[in-house]
Amino acid sequence: MKANYNIENSSYAKKKSHFLRNSIRAGLVVIALSAITLTTIWGIKKYQSGRITIKSIKEAWAEYDYQKVYELSKAFLQNDTYNNTALTYYSYACFFLAQSQTDTQQAQSYLDDCINNIRIALYEADKSLIPQLQYMLGRAYFYKNTITTHYYADLAVKYLLLAKENGYEADDIAEYLGLSYASLGMTMESIAAFTEALLVRESDTLLLAIAEQYYKAKELNAAEQYLFRIVKNSDNEDIIIKSENLLGTIYIDKEDYEAAQAEFDNVLKKNENSADAHYGIGVIYEKQGNIVKARSEWRKALKIQVNHPGALQKMSEN
């Protein structure tokens, strides 16, 4: 009896031990599966939260966060190189980042990226988006023309005109065209564009630009009228000084030296370091046959602005 009891007890213990081992194993499996499930869910959520989408790019654009738009769209394009929407947002972000740069080389780099990607986007853009892309390309070439030694004004004109012809409307197109035509030496086209721009928005800068173009066209009376408007109504002293200097130059051309002297004297009362005013007074003395006083004024101009083109030329000639 005693032996049977021991055998039964031993069998029971083995069954109990086997059950415990299985239970522990099952528990470990459950724990492992739970951990894997939680890790997978966490990974999916992290992937979804960090994944770059067109929606996330648009959200950054809506917040005017151009640096973020630039970074998101650049990363997006690494996996989808020719996605038209991403190309568009990337190029636009490059344009606005270029405008905010104080480093000219960095600005040029952004503009080059802008131009290259807009040109790529134009190949497969929706027909409705093409005029806007042409407008932005024209603007990019315009700003590139202002910060480089090469000329891009012709390309600015080309794409701004295309945008306009294709129905794109923007208040600044005419002004950009006027400035680009002026850069190309197309005086009458520039005047026409500036005049159109005046119908949209009048500014002292625009009035002065028109006056300068009329002066180049030798239409002195027309130039005077715009300059009078600036001097009479403007609160911008720098613009007024430029206008009075140009008026003085016009009066020299008209051989009204007294009126010219008065304009340059007005300038020097506001800014005694105006190289243009001293240059103009020197020209008056030259016209009156007083080369000694003329050279004295041109030296003053060069002391203020060492590379003043007019004074340098006059000193070399006299």
Side-chain angles (χ1 to χ4, degrees):
M1 289 293 293
K2 189 174 181 180
N4 289 339
Y5 178 76
N6 287 338
I7 291 170
E8 288 175 0
N9 280 344
S10 176
S11 177
Y12 174 76
K14 287 180 179 179
K15 288 180 180 179
K16 186 176 181 181
S17 176
H18 183 69
F19 176 77
L20 285 172
R21 283 197 300 271
N22 287 342
S23 296
I24 291 169
R25 287 172 182 168
L28 290 172
V29 170
V30 170
I31 291 170
L33 288 172
S34 298
I36 291 170
T37 302
L38 289 172
T39 301
T40 302
I41 293 171
W42 177 81
I44 291 171
K45 287 183 176 180
K46 184 178 180 181
Y47 170 75
Q48 289 177 337
S49 63
R51 188 163 57 98
I52 298 170
T53 64
I54 294 298
K55 181 181 178 183
S56 63
I57 294 172
K58 288 182 177 179
E59 287 171 351
W61 179 265
E63 295 172 357
Y64 304 100
D65 190 343
Y66 302 124
Q67 184 64 45
K68 188 174 181 180
V69 173
Y70 171 82
E71 292 168 358
L72 291 176
S73 52
K74 186 175 184 178
F76 187 97
L77 288 166
Q78 290 177 353
N79 297 317
D80 192 354
T81 307
Y82 297 105
N83 183 286
N84 202 270
T85 303
L87 282 169
T88 301
Y89 278 108
Y90 178 70
S91 58
Y92 287 11
C94 286
F95 175 82
F96 288 111
L97 288 173
Q99 285 193 306
S100 67
Q101 296 302 308
T102 54
D103 184 332
T104 303
Q105 286 189 332
Q106 186 62 51
Q108 286 190 53
S109 178
Y110 278 127
L111 283 174
D112 287 340
D113 268 358
C114 170
I115 289 167
N116 291 337
N117 283 276
I118 289 180
R119 294 179 75 94
I120 294 170
L122 276 168
Y123 280 107
E124 295 184 1
D126 290 338
K127 188 176 180 180
S128 61
L129 184 61
I130 288 175
Q132 184 188 99
L133 287 168
Q134 291 169 334
Y135 165 72
M136 288 299 294
L137 188 53
R139 288 180 72 187
Y141 277 124
F142 171 82
Y143 281 108
K144 189 171 175 65
N145 188 67
T146 65
I147 61 173
T148 66
T149 55
H150 301 289
Y151 292 100
Y152 295 91
D154 57 336
L155 290 168
V157 168
K158 174 184 175 179
Y159 286 103
L160 289 169
L161 285 178
L162 280 172
K164 190 176 179 181
E165 289 167 6
N166 288 324
Y168 192 78
E169 295 181 0
D171 290 348
D172 53 8
I173 287 181
E175 189 166 351
Y176 283 134
L177 283 171
L179 291 167
S180 298
Y181 282 132
S183 180
L184 292 168
M186 300 171 68
T187 304
M188 300 315 297
E189 290 85 350
S190 178
I191 290 171
F194 281 140
T195 303
E196 181 182 340
L198 273 181
L199 300 175
V200 178
R201 177 181 59 85
E202 181 174 314
S203 69
D204 296 337
T205 303
L206 192 53
L207 291 171
L208 179 58
I210 295 175
E212 288 171 340
Q213 292 306 303
Y214 272 122
Y215 177 73
K216 287 181 180 179
K218 304 301 180 184
E219 296 189 28
L220 304 185
N221 291 333
E224 271 186 89
Q225 296 308 309
Y226 283 100
L227 295 171
F228 287 152
R229 284 167 66 178
I230 296 170
V231 173
K232 182 179 179 181
N233 301 314
S234 179
D235 295 322
N236 187 322
E237 189 167 276
D238 288 338
I239 296 290
I240 292 173
I241 286 173
K242 288 179 181 178
S243 300
E244 289 176 332
N245 273 324
L246 184 51
L247 277 170
T249 302
I250 289 171
Y251 291 140
I252 289 174
D253 289 350
K254 289 185 171 184
E255 299 184 355
D256 187 348
Y257 303 132
E258 185 177 345
Q261 182 73 52
E263 293 297 335
F264 294 132
D265 286 344
N266 284 335
V267 170
L268 292 175
K269 287 176 184 177
K270 299 181 182 75
N271 178 15
E272 62 184 8
N273 292 317
S274 172
D276 288 337
H278 284 293
Y279 168 75
I281 293 171
V283 174
I284 292 172
Y285 283 130
E286 179 192 32
K287 296 290 186 181
Q288 294 172 336
N290 194 334
I291 297 300
V292 174
K293 285 190 174 181
R295 287 176 62 84
S296 174
E297 292 296 328
W298 295 330
R299 280 194 292 269
K300 290 178 185 178
L302 290 171
K303 187 176 181 180
I304 296 166
Q305 183 182 336
V306 294
N307 61 343
H308 191 284
L312 284 173
Q313 183 177 349
K314 289 294 185 182
M315 290 296 285
S316 65
E317 290 174 352
N318 295 279

